[in-house]
Amino acid sequence: MEYSTYGRHIVVDFWGVDFGLLNNIDFLQEIMKDAGEKCLATVLSVAYEKFDPNGGTVIIILSESHLSIHTYPEKGFAAIDCYTCGKKTEPNKAINYLIEMLKPKATYTKTLIRGLNKIEVMD
């Protein structure tokens, strides 16, 4: 099997997200796994950490790369990263699903095109 170096890397800040959603590690694992599947990627494993007193990190290892979320419930903030290699995946579908599930009041997004001997930023 030949692998492409072409990839899309979407980095998103979510603001104004409900504390309870961002502090629920079981919910976050579920929606992150679902997001990986919705973007047509192959989910290989899930790693997570719940922090004390609040917040958490969930990392989804994909055959095509990764999807991650780091939450700061006390600030209503989540940092999300979706990097997928190849052209069969649709990382925007993962991000749109997470917007639907977390309902942020504001989002700030950068999309990078990687693996072309340079990094292209697409806004």
Side-chain angles (χ1 to χ4, degrees):
M1 174 180 250
E2 186 175 327
Y3 291 94
S4 171
T5 59
Y6 172 83
R8 287 160 288 174
H9 194 160
I10 302 175
V11 180
V12 189
D13 286 353
F14 281 16
W15 287 99
V17 180
D18 179 79
F19 179 97
L21 296 177
L22 294 180
N23 205 41
N24 184 335
I25 201 74
D26 294 328
F27 171 74
L28 293 171
Q29 287 179 78
E30 182 181 323
I31 66 168
M32 292 296 286
K33 184 177 175 208
D34 289 346
E37 293 168 352
K38 288 191 180 295
C39 75
L40 307 176
T42 304
V43 174
L44 299 176
S45 65
V46 179
Y48 67 92
E49 188 66 39
K50 172 80 172 92
F51 298 110
D52 184 29
N54 48 47
T57 294
V58 177
I59 300 173
I60 307 296
I61 305 300
L62 306 171
S63 179
E64 298 81 4
S65 200
H66 72 271
L67 176 61
S68 66
I69 186 169
H70 305 282
T71 71
Y72 303 82
E74 68 283 1
K75 300 196 182 285
F77 175 72
I80 297 168
D81 212 53
C82 184
Y83 178 38
T84 60
C85 299
K87 295 187 178 180
K88 95 168 178 105
T89 56
E90 299 180 43
N92 281 323
K93 287 187 176 185
I95 300 303
N96 290 338
Y97 174 73
L98 293 172
I99 290 170
E100 179 184 323
M101 298 306 294
L102 293 171
K103 298 176 179 43
K105 291 188 171 98
T107 61
Y108 301 95
T109 305
K110 282 281 187 204
T111 301
L112 305 173
I113 303 300
R114 303 182 72 182
L116 302 175
N117 292 328
K118 61 183 175 177
I119 292 179
E120 294 180 20
V121 177
M122 305 191 61
D123 294 318

